[in-house]
Amino acid sequence: MTRWVGVDGWTVELVRLNGRPLLRVRHLGYHVAYCADVREVAKLVDLADLVEVVPLSSSSYRS
């Protein structure tokens, strides 16, 4: 799952709803909107504040 987090508790996730890819915007865990494209997200969140969350696998921690 692709996910971005921002300041003040904003999160944006790429999800599939009824077969359509959408961007789900949440604030402090509460649903705010489903957006069809980044322009719609930009109306809600400053895109410059978002950073992508990259999950690390356990194989990444080799000694």
Side-chain angles (χ1 to χ4, degrees):
M1 175 191 307
T2 305
R3 183 173 176 233
W4 297 267
V5 295
V7 295
D8 298 327
W10 288 96
T11 60
V12 179
E13 298 172 308
L14 180 60
V15 298
R16 191 167 289 281
L17 187 63
N18 296 327
R20 270 182 65 199
L22 294 171
L23 296 161
R24 176 172 52 202
V25 179
R26 292 182 178 183
H27 185 246
L28 299 173
Y30 291 96
H31 173 78
V32 175
Y34 286 110
C35 299
D37 57 42
V38 176
R39 286 177 291 189
E40 292 179 19
V41 175
K43 294 176 184 176
L44 303 168
V45 181
D46 184 355
L47 299 178
D49 290 337
L50 296 176
V51 294
E52 186 174 1
V53 176
V54 179
L56 299 176
S57 66
S58 59
S59 63
S60 298
Y61 299 108
R62 294 188 180 152
S63 322

